[in-house]
C-alpha cells in the first residue's frame, strides 16, 4: 500500500500523522511511504530523517493526495483537503464528525473510506488510539493545576514569612517549622 503523509494545515497544529519510526515500520513491511515536504518540521522531524527511514519526500500536498492509497493525518481534513480525497482512497485521522456536517458531506462526496482514530476499538472494547491523546491532553491540565496549587501554597508561605518578620515578633529558627520541611 502507498501511504501518504501531508503537512497539517489546521491552525496551530504542529503534529504530524506519521513519525519517521512509523515510516520505517511501514517500509519494512513492504509499504511505500510519501511525506509532504516539511510535514514533520513543526514536530521536530526533518525531511532527511524520513528519507533515512525509507520514505520519499514529495513537494506538495497535491502530489501526496494524488499518489497515495491511504492518507494519514492527525487532525480532520480541512475543506481544501477533503476536496483532494478521491474514491477508494483511505483517510486515517481524528475526524470528530458529529459537530461538523460540512466535513461529513465532503468526505461522502469524495467517496473515500474515512477511518476516525477516535472510533477504532481494541479487542477489549477500549479506544487504543484515543487514550494516548487523552493522556497527552490531560498532562497540561495536571501541570496547570500543580502550578496553581504551588502558586497558592507559595503565596501562603510568603505571607506567613512576612508575618513572622514583623517588628516585635521573634522568628522561629527551628522547631516545628523546620521539622515540617524535613529538617533535623
Amino acid at each position: 500500500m502507498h501511504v501518504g503523509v501531508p503537512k497539517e494545515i489546521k491552525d496551530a497544529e504542529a503534529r504530524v500523522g506519521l513519525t519517521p519510526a512509523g515510516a520505517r515500520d511501514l517500509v519494512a513491511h513492504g509499504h511505500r511511504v510519501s511525506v509532504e515536504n516539511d510535514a514533520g518540521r513543526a514536530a521536530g522531524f526533518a525531511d532527511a530523517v524520513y528519507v533515512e527511514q525509507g520514505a520519499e519526500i514529495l513537494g506538495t500536498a497535491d502530489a501526496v493526495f494524488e499518489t497515495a492509497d491511504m492518507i494519514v493525518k492527525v487532525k480532520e481534513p480541512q475543506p481544501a483537503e477533503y476536496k483532494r480525497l478521491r474514491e477508494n482512497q483511505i483517510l486515517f485521522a481524528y475526524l470528530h464528525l458529529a459537530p461538523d456536517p460540512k466535513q461529513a458531506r465532503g468526505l461522502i462526496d469524495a467517496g473515500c473510506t474515512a477511518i476516525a482514530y477516535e472510533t477504532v476499538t481494541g479487542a477489549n472494547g477500549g479506544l487504543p488510539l484515543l487514550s494516548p491523546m487523552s493522556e497527552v491532553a490531560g498532562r497540561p491540565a495536571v501541570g496547570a493545576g500543580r502550578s496553581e496549587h504551588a502558586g497558592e501554597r507559595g503565596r501562603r508561605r510568603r505571607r506567613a514569612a512576612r508575618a513572622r518578620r514583623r517588628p516585635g515578633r521573634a522568628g522561629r529558627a527551628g522547631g516545628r517549622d523546620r521539622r515540617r520541611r524535613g529538617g533535623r
Side-chain angles (χ1 to χ4, degrees):
M1 180 175 283
H2 184 178
V3 178
V5 184
K7 189 183 320 180
E8 296 291 332
I9 61 172
K10 186 165 185 177
D11 286 343
E13 183 54 65
R15 296 172 292 178
V16 62
L18 188 68
T19 65
R24 179 191 63 228
D25 291 345
L26 288 171
V27 169
H29 285 91
H31 301 286
R32 179 178 167 199
V33 177
S34 296
V35 179
E36 182 183 354
N37 183 50
D38 287 337
R41 177 186 274 184
F45 303 117
D47 288 346
V49 180
Y50 283 100
V51 171
E52 289 169 6
Q53 301 304 318
E56 66 180 338
I57 303 300
L58 298 180
T60 65
D62 285 334
V64 172
F65 279 90
E66 287 169 8
T67 59
D69 302 313
M70 180 167 78
I71 300 295
V72 178
K73 291 180 47 57
V74 176
K75 294 301 286 181
E76 70 278 1
Q78 302 302 293
E81 292 174 313
Y82 54 72
K83 291 175 183 172
R84 291 176 175 140
L85 292 163
R86 63 180 190 280
E87 194 169 338
N88 297 320
Q89 193 171 47
I90 301 166
L91 170 66
F92 204 36
Y94 285 104
L95 296 176
H96 312 291
L97 291 172
D100 194 351
K102 183 178 176 187
Q103 179 194 176
R105 174 52 48 202
L107 294 174
I108 291 167
D109 291 347
C112 70
T113 299
I115 302 170
Y117 292 140
E118 67 270 18
T119 62
V120 174
T121 54
N124 65 357
L127 301 169
L129 301 180
L130 189 57
S131 38
M133 295 307 294
S134 297
E135 285 180 31
V136 169
R139 286 185 191 137
V142 171
R146 184 181 318 123
S147 295
E148 182 60 30
H149 176 70
E152 180 57 32
R153 187 172 52 202
R155 285 189 288 277
R156 286 194 305 264
R157 286 181 180 164
R158 285 189 298 276
R159 272 184 265 159
R162 279 194 303 272
R164 284 194 301 269
R165 288 192 303 258
R166 285 188 190 138
R169 294 193 60 181
R172 293 170 58 148
R176 195 176 80 212
D177 288 343
R178 181 180 236 181
R179 282 191 300 272
R180 187 179 308 138
R181 290 189 311 254
R184 296 177 194 250

